[in-house]
C-alpha cells in the first residue's frame, strides 16, 4: 500500500520511499528536526532516568504476573512442589545445628539457639538467592529481551519479588518454630514488617548491580555462590557476634555487625525473639563482675549486664542506609547500560 492509499507492485514501496527520501532534503528541513517534530528518536538511545523509572512503574503488573508465574513453575516437576521453598532452608538449618551447635558449640551465649539459627538461615537465604538470581537474570532471559521491548530492570525486580514471595511462605514455618521454642507473640513482632521491607529494598539494589555485572561477564555467576558462602560465615547466621571472644578487637566486631546481611538478621531476631532482646548487651544496668563471668562462662542471661557494642537504633539506621544507598547505586548502575542488554 503506497502512501497515497493505492496498491503498488512488489518492490514499489521501496522505490516510493526512496523517492520520498530524495525529496526530503528539498524541503530544506534537516532530518534531525523532522524527527524531533514527529517525536522520533533513535531506538538505541538511553531514556532519561525519570522516564525510565516511570516506564518500570507502568509495567508493575507485568512484573508481578511474571514473578508469580515463575514462582509457581519453579517446582512443578518436583513431587513435593512448593514445599521445597521451605524444606531447603530447614535442611540447611539442621546441618548448621549439627555442625555449629553440637560439634563447635557455637550456641554458647544464646538462650534459644534453635530459633536464633533458623531465623538467621531464612533471612540470609532471601538475600543470598536474590543476588544469585540477579547475577544470571539477563543471560537466562536473553530470548525474552530480544523478542520484546520493555525496561530491562523489570527482570531483576521480578526475580527479587519471586524470592520475597518464597520468603513470605517460609515465614509461616519460621513463626511456628519460633513460637514452638517458647518465644512469646508480642507487639515487637510488628517491627518485622519494616525490617523485611528494608531488606527487600537492599536486595533489589544488589540484584540490579549484579544483573549488570553478570550480563557482561558470565564467569561472575560461577563466582557469586562461593563469595556468598564466605559472606554467610561473617554475618552471625550460626553464632552470636556479641558472644565472640573478648580478645577480638572492637572494630572487628563492628565490621561484622554492620555488614548488611548481619544488620537485617539482627533486626529480625530483635523483632520476633524475646530471649534475644532480654539477653542483648545493655538490656540491664552494667555490672562488671557479671559481664566478666559471661565472657568466661558464656551464660546467656549474664550478657545483658555488658556494655553494648552497637545499639538497636544504630542497627536501624544502618539498615535504612544500606537499603537506600544500595538501591540508588543499583538503579543508576543498571540504567547506564540499559541499551546494551540483549546485544550480541
Amino acid at each position: 500500500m503506497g502512501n497515497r492509499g493505492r496498491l503498488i507492485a512488489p518492490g514499489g514501496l521501496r522505490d516510493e520511499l526512496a523517492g520520498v527520501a530524495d525529496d526530503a532534503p528539498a524541503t530544506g528541513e534537516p532530518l534531525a528536526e523532522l524527527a524531533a517534530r514527529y517525536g522520533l528518536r533513535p531506538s538505541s538511545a538511553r531514556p532519561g532516568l525519570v522516564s525510565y523509572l516511570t516506564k518500570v512503574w507502568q509495567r508493575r503488573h507485568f512484573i508481578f504476573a511474571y514473578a508469580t508465574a515463575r514462582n509457581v513453575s519453579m517446582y512443578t516437576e518436583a513431587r513435593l512442589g512448593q514445599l521445597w521453598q521451605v524444606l531447603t532452608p530447614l535442611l540447611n538449618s539442621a546441618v548448621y545445628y549439627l555442625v555449629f551447635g553440637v560439634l563447635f558449640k557455637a550456641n554458647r551465649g544464646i538462650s534459644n539457639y534453635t530459633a536464633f539459627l533458623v531465623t538467621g538461615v531464612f533471612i540470609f537465604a532471601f538475600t543470598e538467592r536474590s543476588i544469585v538470581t540477579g547475577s544470571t537474570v539477563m543471560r537466562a532471559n536473553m530470548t525474552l529481551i530480544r523478542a520484546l521491548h520493555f525496561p530491562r530492570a523489570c527482570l531483576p525486580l521480578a526475580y527479587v519479588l519471586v524470592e520475597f514471595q518464597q520468603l513470605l511462605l517460609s515465614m509461616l514455618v519460621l513463626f511456628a518454630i519460633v513460637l514452638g521454642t517458647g518465644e512469646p507473640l508480642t507487639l515487637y513482632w510488628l517491627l518485622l514488617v519494616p525490617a523485611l521491607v528494608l531488606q527487600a529494598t537492599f536486595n533489589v539494589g544488589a540484584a540490579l548491580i549484579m544483573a549488570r555485572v553478570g550480563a557482561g561477564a558470565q564467569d561472575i555467576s560461577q563466582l557469586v555462590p562461593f563469595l556468598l558462602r564466605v559472606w554467610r560465615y561473617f554475618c552471625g547466621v550460626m553464632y552470636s557476634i556479641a558472644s565472640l571472644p573478648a580478645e577480638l578487637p572492637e572494630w572487628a566486631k563492628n565490621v561484622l555487625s554492620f555488614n548488611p546481611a548481619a544488620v537485617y538478621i539482627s533486626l529480625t531476631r530483635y523483632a520476633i525473639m524475646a530471649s534475644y532482646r532480654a539477653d542483648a548487651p545493655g538490656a540491664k544496668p552494667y555490672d562488671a563482675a557479671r559481664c566478666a563471668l559471661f565472657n568466661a562462662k558464656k551464660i546467656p542471661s549474664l550478657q545483658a549486664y555488658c556494655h553494648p557494642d552497637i545499639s538497636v537504633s544504630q542497627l536501624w539506621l544502618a539498615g535504612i542506609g544500606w537499603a537506600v544507598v544500595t538501591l540508588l547505586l543499583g538503579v543508576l548502575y543498571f540504567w547506564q547500560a540499559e541499551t546494551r542488554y540483549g546485544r550480541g
Side-chain angles (χ1 to χ4, degrees), residues 2 11 68 87 128 140 165 167 298 306 319:
T68 303
L87 289 177
E128 181 182 34
Q165 291 174 344
L167 175 68
K298 299 300 181 183
C306 297

Side-chain angles (χ1 to χ4, degrees), residues 254-274:
N254 291 337
V255 169
L256 294 177
S257 298
F258 277 127
N259 88 75
V263 167
Y264 299 122
I265 290 173
S266 297
L267 291 177
T268 303
R269 286 169 174 161
Y270 185 84
I272 65 178
M273 294 181 60

Side-chain angles (χ1 to χ4, degrees), residues 3 46 49 73 161 171 187 206 299 311:
N3 57 8
R46 184 179 62 200
L49 180 59
S73 65
L161 183 57
M171 277 292 174
L187 291 178
I299 301 174
S311 65

Side-chain angles (χ1 to χ4, degrees), residues 5 139 195 230 265:
R139 293 184 177 275
V230 175
I265 290 173

Side-chain angles (χ1 to χ4, degrees), residues 108-187:
R108 296 182 65 196
I110 304 172
S111 296
N112 187 352
Y113 187 68
T114 300
F116 180 93
L117 177 63
V118 173
T119 301
V121 171
F122 275 64
I123 296 301
F124 183 81
F126 177 33
T127 295
E128 181 182 34
R129 291 197 302 260
S130 297
I131 294 176
V132 169
T133 57
S135 66
T136 61
V137 62
M138 306 308 292
R139 293 184 177 275
N141 293 274
M142 194 61 65
T143 302
L144 180 63
I145 291 173
R146 291 173 176 171
L148 300 175
H149 178 71
F150 61 95
R152 309 313 187 199
C154 293
L155 291 174
L157 288 173
Y159 274 61
V160 174
L161 183 57
V162 169
E163 303 303 334
F164 187 69
Q165 291 174 344
Q166 293 186 2
L167 175 68
L168 294 181
L169 178 61
S170 63
M171 277 292 174
L172 299 178
V173 178
L174 175 61
F175 293 162
I177 294 175
V178 171
L179 294 173
T181 54
E183 300 292 341
L185 183 63
T186 66
L187 291 178

Side-chain angles (χ1 to χ4, degrees), residues 55-73:
K55 292 179 180 179
V56 173
W57 172 251
Q58 291 172 347
R59 287 161 177 81
R60 61 190 181 277
H61 302 295
F62 161 75
I63 295 173
F64 183 80
Y66 182 82
T68 303
R70 179 171 177 79
N71 193 17
V72 172
S73 65

